[in-house]
């Protein structure tokens, strides 16, 4: 049990709802492991109150905050500085205290980058397929382009949403790397060896047997896959990918969740979390979530 006293620093998460958040478990475990006297707590913040909450947090000497649904875009107006990648994505999930206010980052995306690198997956020069065209897809498409992917194909049921993301990415990076495709057109994908990131909610518990694409011919084109869903721990998308060829690797989204927290903690405390420490936090998360 941490010794809460006069020098204890406070961090927290603002969102609505926040009651289900795993971040307090994750961050307080990091504080235990690094021996830093920090307490991380949930702050339920209603729509329209985000700017007041951020101002109040600064006045209360809060060291840093995570931001979750539905405030990831609205919070940008309350910042005094923003990391360029977070700005281009248009979503912030981490606030770091600086002189006069908070600087915003998107560690959802830095966390995915860290997870991929830890698994020896580097997006540079890769051909990437992103399934889905919501907020997560948009952020991942920006990451792929900023990492120097060769091709980023956004496959989505609603073509116009995919097109919107592709145009935003190409416009921002002044290139032609991103392209939209309708989900049902996957047969038109040329060649193989794609890295595929599944960002839709299809397959999320309790719909464990669902997947946005069933056809094995699609999975044969993919060499590595990440499903951002972590419940169930092995989604049908992951199962089909593993079945489609010997030694194919498929990852779920729990490490992405872990590393978004690790990256935030490092920014707040100016420390480096080791792989061993991250693994201990990962075990604590799985235990808490009964995965
Ligand atoms: P987030 O912001 O978390 O990424 P979202 O904005 O709700 O989530 O996006 C969900 C994505 O899953 C969307 O791209 C959605 O497709 P549409 O743009 O056509 O709505 C996709 N999705 C949801 N249910 C789907 C289904 N049954 N089949 C295919 N795609 C689905």
């Amino acid at each position: 049990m941490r010794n809460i006293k006069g020098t204890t620093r406070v961090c927290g998460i603002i969102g609505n709802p926040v009651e289900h958040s795993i971040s307090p478990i994750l961050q307080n475990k990091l504080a235990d492991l690094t021996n830093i006297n920090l307490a991380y707590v949930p702050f339920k913040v209603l729509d329209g109150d985000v700017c007041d909450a951020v101002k109040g947090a600064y006045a209360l000497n809060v060291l840093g905050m995570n931001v979750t649904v539905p405030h990831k875009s609205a919070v940008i107006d309350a910042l005094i500085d923003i990391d360029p990648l977070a700005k281009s994505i248009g979503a912030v999930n981490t606030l770091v205290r600086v002189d006069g206010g908070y600087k915003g980052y998107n560690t959802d995306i830095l966390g995915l980058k860290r997870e991929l690198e830890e698994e020896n997956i580097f997006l540079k020069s890769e051909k990437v397929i992103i399934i889905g065209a919501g907020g997560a897809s948009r952020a991942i498409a920006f990451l792929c382009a900023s990492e120097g992917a060769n091709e980023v194909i956004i496959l989505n049921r609603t073509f116009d949403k995919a097109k919107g993301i592709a145009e935003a990415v190409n416009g921002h990076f002044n290139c032609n790397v991103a392209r939209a495709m309708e989900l049902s057109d996957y047969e038109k994908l040329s060649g193989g060896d794609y890295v595929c990131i599944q960002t839709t909610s299809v397959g999320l518990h309790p719909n464990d047997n669902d997947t946005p694409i069933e056809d094995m011919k699609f999975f044969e084109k993919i060499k590595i896959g990440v499903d951002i869903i972590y419940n169930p721990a092995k989604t049908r998308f992951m199962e089909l990918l593993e079945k489609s060829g010997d030694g194919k690797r498929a990852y779920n989204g729990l490490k992405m969740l872990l590393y978004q927290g690790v990256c935030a903690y490092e920014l707040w405390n100016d420390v480096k979390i080791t792989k061993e420490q991250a693994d201990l936090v990962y075990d604590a998360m799985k235990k808490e979530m009964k995965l």
Side-chain angles (χ1 to χ4, degrees), residues 69 131-138 154-162 165 183 198-203 210-213 228:
V69 177
I131 308 178
S137 166
R138 183 183 160 89
I154 301 147
L155 268 184
N156 195 45
R157 182 177 60 177
T158 310
F159 177 79
D160 280 350
K161 275 163 81 182
I165 294 176
L183 189 62
Q198 197 302 106
T199 74
T200 76
S201 49
V202 184
D210 291 355
T211 170
I213 299 173
I228 70 166

Side-chain angles (χ1 to χ4, degrees), residues 55-289:
K55 246 192 204 160
Y58 187 76
L60 290 167
N61 199 29
V62 169
L63 178 65
M65 286 191 293
N66 284 130
V67 183
T68 188
V69 177
H71 304 316
K72 289 186 185 187
S73 299
V75 78
I76 291 174
D77 288 339
L79 304 174
I80 63 159
D81 195 6
I82 184 165
D83 171 72
L85 185 59
K87 187 175 180 192
S88 63
I89 293 166
V92 157
N93 81 315
T94 297
L95 308 191
V96 177
R97 187 181 184 88
V98 291
D99 249 2
Y102 291 94
K103 177 171 180 180
Y105 292 83
N106 189 313
T107 69
D108 288 331
I109 225 55
L110 300 176
L112 176 64
K113 177 169 137 73
R114 175 102 161 241
E115 172 193 351
L116 294 175
E117 287 175 1
E118 200 123 288
E119 309 291 2
N120 265 318
I121 305 168
F122 298 91
L123 295 170
K124 189 168 170 52
S125 305
E126 291 287 0
K127 300 194 296 180
V128 185
I129 297 169
I130 302 172
I131 308 178
S137 166
R138 183 183 160 89
I140 292 166
F142 272 89
L143 174 71
C144 293
S146 80
E147 289 295 299
N150 250 354
E151 212 183 339
V152 182
I153 296 163
I154 301 147
L155 268 184
N156 195 45
R157 182 177 60 177
T158 310
F159 177 79
D160 280 350
K161 275 163 81 182
K163 188 164 167 256
I165 294 176
E167 284 173 357
V169 168
N170 291 339
H172 181 81
F173 293 96
N174 194 19
C175 66
N176 229 344
V177 70
R179 184 155 58 92
M181 265 175 91
E182 224 158 87
L183 189 62
S184 53
D185 279 346
Y186 63 83
E187 279 181 52
K188 294 183 188 157
L189 287 163
S190 59
D193 278 347
Y194 288 94
V195 174
C196 182
I197 304 173
Q198 197 302 106
T199 74
T200 76
S201 49
V202 184
L204 186 64
H205 187 70
N207 303 311
D208 300 26
N209 287 322
D210 291 355
T211 170
I213 299 173
E214 277 278 351
D215 190 347
M216 277 316 235
K217 285 202 198 96
F218 170 73
F219 289 96
E220 282 159 14
K221 294 175 188 288
I222 300 171
K223 61 173 180 183
I224 298 166
V226 180
D227 194 327
I228 70 166
I229 293 173
Y230 52 81
N231 185 14
K234 187 173 276 187
T235 62
R236 179 129 175 90
F237 169 86
M238 293 164 65
E239 233 170 63
L240 292 177
L241 177 60
E242 285 174 355
K243 255 194 215 150
S244 71
D246 278 348
K248 284 201 186 175
R249 292 180 287 158
Y251 302 94
N252 69 23
L254 196 59
K255 285 248 164 104
M256 184 176 168
L257 188 63
L258 165 71
Y259 282 113
Q260 64 74 32
V262 166
C263 291
Y265 189 86
E266 290 180 343
L267 286 166
W268 296 327
N269 296 294
D270 199 18
V271 289
K272 182 84 188 142
I273 299 301
T274 64
K275 169 88 170 67
E276 288 68 30
Q277 289 171 323
D279 285 346
L280 290 170
V281 179
Y282 189 62
D283 290 342
M285 289 166 71
K286 281 200 289 197
K287 194 168 155 214
E288 177 70 19
M289 293 168 144

